[in-house]
Amino acid sequence: MSLNVELLEQSFEKIKPHADEFAASFYENLFQLYPEVQPLFANTEMAKQQKKLLNALVLVVENLRSPEALEPVLKVLGERHIGYGAIANSYPAVGEALITTFEQYLQQDWTTEVKQAWIDAYGAITALMLKGAGVEITPEEVPLETEIIPDQQVTIPANHPQESVPEQEPKLAVEILESSFEKIKPHADEFAASFYENLFIAHPELQPLFDNVDLEKQQKKLINALVLVVENLRSPEALVPVLNALGGRHIGYGVIPKYYEPVGSALLMAFEQYLQEDWTPDVKLAWTDAYGAITGLMLEGTVVETIPNVVPDQKQVTHNQPQESHTQLLQESPAFQPPTEQLKNFLGSIKSNGEIIFIISQKFLDNFWTQPAWLVASVSAILFIIIYVGADDNSLIKEILDSADALSLVVALVLFIKEAPDRRKQFHYQAWSTVDAAHGVKVSYARILALQDLNEDGVSLRGVDAVGAELVAINLPSANLSETKLSETDLTNANLSHANLNNANLSSAKLSGGNLSHANLSFACLSQVNLSSANLSSANLICADLSNANMSGVNLKNASLNGANFKGAYLSGANLKGAKVSISDLSGALLEGAVLPDGSKYKSPEDGVENK
């Protein structure tokens, strides 16, 4: 889809003088047209939310000519909106309210061409955000449908194409789930707290997963997730991608498939505690089936196809279980079978012996890593005997195998290789234990080494909490540090090049002399941070908070800075050549001696020269 960039830029310029009123009107229109979305904003400070809307619009319009910078930011934004309870079905409502608001403020300038330009733009934005939320869609796949509302006709993007969802048994009792959850809502906070109490009492081994988690926020997330599920039981096509993405994210939190059963038991126990006499066998069965379906979709997001049986309070739940999932599992992970006629024909069609050897070796390796250690050891011993018996008496291999310890060595070597992934996993657990043990400790060299080792192994460091820690000269290139808590942390001379620090909290941190070239710091909190002489060339700082930051002598060459907050920032001697930022965004910063995006040197008004 080709966007009419000039029309979008020109029309948005006319909105800017009334930006605050425009944002307020947008939410008024949204809540008036779709009151059911208003609970999503119940705990939101609307003044800040309106500011975020404006920043997002500025970000989009000012980067229409640089889509390569805009695309990753919109994908991240879409992913974050899952956590706020925004699902695919919410996008048309937002689109209608946005188009309505543009019409109100542009008035006679709201021509057919302008209207179509914003419809196309919103379709493109929606596609990218949905992609970030785990829904594969392109702008061309976002059809347009027209809704008639009083005194006007507004065209908005329709929902993304529905995915075909195979029917599953047992069928969920949607009405029972909805009516029972309505009785929980008045006690939502207590319900969530009881759930975690039940979980930690029954399974104390799970509590370390929440050591660095704000439990109040976590309880709120649980309630939001339940609301999201219950309110979309009648729209499974919208719920599937959200639950898949949720399951995928939980891998990074240390959640593995075996944890789903205790979570299910604790959840059902909490329902029983709060529903009391309303906790009938039918309600119990409905929630058991629902949790099984939710678990299945979340596990799909982790590329795991098994669903644990939920047995609340260690009592057997008796109802017909679907056989289809077990059959599917056997089909997808078949044991070794004798060659069938179909397999023989397939092998006969392969003319190259090299291809046959490659396929056999690939199958062997796949089975090698999935089979238990005792089976691998037994097969190794059998192969050793076969080779030993078949070897020529005068051959070198026979002489080697004649050694008394040869069999033990071969089996030991095979087991050593087989158990390498388990040892690596154990090493990761130990490294994370070191990081957790250093929480609240200012200086810990062991923590620095553990974080560096985890990053070298490609382990995500998302959400790490190291507030106030001393991490001087730490080497974390290309690390995933999104949503980390690093306020007041000393990262002087740290190497964070190409790192992902999206939405990280680095307020009052020390990053002087640090290497953050090509780093992603979009939406990060960098207020009062010390970035003096740091290298931020080609970094992404879109919508970052840099208020009152010390950025003297910083290298911001070719950096993306649109929508960033520079109020009170000290940019004396900074190099902004080629940076993507408007002069208006820099108006609140001190720019003495700075090189501006066009390559010119900043000149203050006192010099009698107009700022460029």
Side-chain angles (χ1 to χ4, degrees):
M1 181 187 296
S2 179
L3 300 182
N4 194 333
V5 177
E6 289 188 8
L7 265 184
L8 294 168
E9 290 174 337
Q10 291 169 5
S11 57
F12 191 67
E13 279 299 317
K14 297 170 183 175
I15 293 294
K16 280 185 176 179
H18 315 287
D20 292 338
E21 299 92 330
F22 176 90
S25 296
F26 162 77
Y27 286 105
E28 287 176 9
N29 292 332
L30 179 63
F31 298 152
Q32 184 176 353
L33 293 169
Y34 295 92
E36 65 272 17
V37 304
Q38 195 160 0
L40 293 175
F41 299 86
N43 299 316
T44 302
E45 188 177 332
M46 291 308 297
K48 287 186 178 179
Q49 186 65 26
Q50 291 164 16
K51 185 68 176 175
K52 286 181 180 179
L53 170 67
L54 293 174
N55 287 340
L57 288 172
V58 169
L59 168 71
V60 169
V61 174
E62 292 189 354
N63 283 278
L64 287 170
R65 301 179 190 273
S66 304
E68 70 283 351
L70 193 58
E71 183 173 345
V73 177
L74 289 176
K75 287 179 180 177
V76 169
L77 200 62
E79 182 184 3
R80 280 168 47 197
H81 273 68
I82 298 174
Y84 306 149
I87 58 173
N89 283 351
S90 308
Y91 285 78
V94 172
E96 181 176 345
L98 189 64
I99 297 298
T100 300
T101 311
F102 271 116
E103 182 174 4
Q104 289 172 348
Y105 279 79
L106 289 176
Q107 297 180 4
Q108 68 273 12
D109 294 317
W110 183 247
T111 64
T112 306
E113 292 79 9
V114 172
K115 180 178 181 179
Q116 190 60 50
W118 279 104
I119 289 170
D120 293 343
Y122 185 74
I125 294 166
T126 299
L128 290 172
M129 290 182 68
L130 285 173
K131 194 170 183 180
V135 181
E136 290 296 328
I137 190 168
T138 62
E140 289 77 10
E141 292 174 321
V142 182
L144 299 177
E145 61 183 25
T146 303
E147 285 190 15
I148 306 299
I149 59 177
D151 303 324
Q152 59 182 343
Q153 188 178 42
V154 179
T155 306
I156 59 172
N159 296 346
H160 65 285
Q162 294 184 354
E163 301 176 11
S164 59
V165 181
E167 290 186 7
Q168 299 181 4
E169 294 293 338
K171 187 177 179 181
L172 298 183
V174 177
E175 289 187 5
I176 292 177
L177 294 168
E178 289 174 338
S179 60
S180 59
F181 191 67
E182 279 299 316
K183 297 168 185 174
I184 294 293
K185 281 184 178 180
H187 315 286
D189 293 338
E190 299 91 332
F191 175 88
S194 296
F195 161 76
Y196 286 104
E197 286 176 12
N198 295 337
L199 182 63
F200 297 152
I201 291 172
H203 297 275
E205 71 276 10
L206 298 184
Q207 195 157 0
L209 291 174
F210 299 85
D211 281 349
N212 299 319
V213 175
D214 185 333
L215 267 182
E216 287 189 8
K217 288 185 179 179
Q218 188 65 28
Q219 290 164 13
K220 187 68 177 175
K221 286 181 180 179
L222 170 68
I223 294 300
N224 287 342
L226 288 172
V227 169
L228 172 70
V229 169
V230 174
E231 291 186 352
N232 286 278
L233 287 170
R234 300 179 189 274
S235 305
E237 71 284 349
L239 201 54
V240 169
V242 176
L243 290 175
N244 287 165
L246 194 63
R249 292 211 308 273
H250 272 67
I251 298 175
Y253 306 148
V255 177
I256 57 178
K258 71 175 184 179
Y259 293 160
Y260 282 81
E261 182 177 342
V263 168
S265 297
L267 186 65
L268 295 178
M269 185 184 295
F271 272 115
E272 183 174 4
Q273 289 169 343
Y274 280 82
L275 288 176
Q276 296 180 6
E277 68 275 5
D278 293 318
W279 183 247
T280 64
D282 289 340
V283 174
K284 182 177 183 179
L285 178 59
W287 279 106
T288 303
D289 290 342
Y291 184 74
I294 293 165
T295 300
L297 291 172
M298 290 181 68
L299 286 173
E300 281 180 17
T302 65
V303 200
V304 177
E305 300 293 338
T306 56
I307 302 176
N309 293 324
V310 181
V311 186
D313 304 330
Q314 306 302 316
K315 299 173 185 176
Q316 184 65 33
V317 179
T318 56
H319 63 279
N320 295 328
Q321 293 291 333
Q323 299 300 316
E324 184 178 6
S325 60
H326 299 288
T327 306
Q328 183 182 5
L329 177 62
L330 292 172
Q331 289 172 345
E332 291 178 358
S333 303
F336 180 77
Q337 298 288 340
T340 61
E341 194 63 29
Q342 184 180 5
L343 179 59
K344 290 177 182 176
N345 292 336
F346 170 70
L347 292 174
S349 67
I350 302 176
K351 297 181 180 179
S352 168
N353 289 333
E355 290 182 18
I356 296 174
I357 293 170
F358 174 78
I359 291 172
I360 293 173
S361 62
Q362 194 67 39
K363 283 284 184 184
F364 171 79
L365 287 174
D366 289 344
N367 280 282
F368 177 81
W369 296 115
T370 56
Q371 300 306 319
W374 66 266
L375 181 58
V376 173
S378 302
V379 172
S380 301
I382 293 168
L383 288 175
F384 175 87
I385 294 169
I386 292 171
I387 295 171
Y388 180 79
V389 171
D392 189 88
D393 290 339
N394 298 320
S395 65
L396 177 62
I397 192 168
K398 185 74 169 181
E399 292 179 15
I400 296 172
L401 297 179
D402 275 337
S403 169
D405 295 328
L407 178 59
S408 300
L409 289 172
V410 169
V411 174
L413 178 62
V414 170
L415 289 177
F416 179 81
I417 296 171
K418 171 75 172 75
E419 293 171 359
D422 292 332
R423 288 196 303 278
R424 176 55 56 186
K425 192 182 295 183
Q426 184 63 35
F427 167 75
H428 291 164
Y429 291 149
Q430 291 172 353
W432 278 119
S433 297
T434 301
V435 174
D436 291 342
H439 181 67
V441 178
K442 184 176 177 64
V443 180
S444 171
Y445 187 60
R447 172 174 51 200
I448 293 175
L449 291 178
L451 289 171
Q452 290 179 160
D453 289 342
L454 287 167
N455 185 52
E456 284 178 10
D457 281 357
V459 178
S460 171
L461 303 178
R462 178 178 179 177
V464 164
D465 185 348
V467 174
E470 186 173 297
L471 302 175
V472 175
I474 193 169
N475 186 33
L476 296 173
S478 304
N480 180 8
L481 292 159
S482 61
E483 301 182 15
T484 48
K485 299 177 181 67
L486 298 169
S487 58
E488 300 182 6
T489 301
D490 191 348
L491 290 156
T492 304
N493 296 322
N495 179 16
L496 298 169
S497 63
H498 294 87
N500 178 16
L501 286 148
N502 167 259
N503 211 36
N505 183 2
L506 288 150
S507 60
S508 301
K510 298 176 184 177
L511 279 157
S512 57
N515 180 11
L516 291 100
S517 64
H518 297 87
N520 177 15
L521 289 147
S522 57
F523 298 96
C525 178
L526 295 157
S527 61
Q528 298 183 330
V529 70
N530 184 359
L531 282 162
S532 61
S533 302
N535 179 12
L536 284 154
S537 59
S538 301
N540 179 0
L541 288 144
I542 291 173
C543 291
D545 180 8
L546 290 156
S547 57
N548 300 303
N550 178 6
M551 303 177 73
S552 59
V554 70
N555 180 7
L556 287 164
K557 192 175 180 181
N558 298 318
S560 297
L561 303 166
N562 288 318
N565 177 14
F566 286 98
K567 185 177 180 181
Y570 189 76
L571 282 160
S572 177
N575 182 4
L576 290 97
K577 186 176 181 180
K580 295 168 185 171
V581 62
S582 65
I583 297 300
S584 60
D585 282 338
L586 295 170
S587 60
L590 180 64
L591 295 163
E592 285 295 328
V595 177
L596 297 179
D598 61 2
S600 64
K601 200 84 175 265
Y602 175 83
K603 295 181 181 179
S604 64
E606 287 78 8
D607 294 332
V609 181
E610 181 181 354
N611 291 343
K612 297 183 181 180

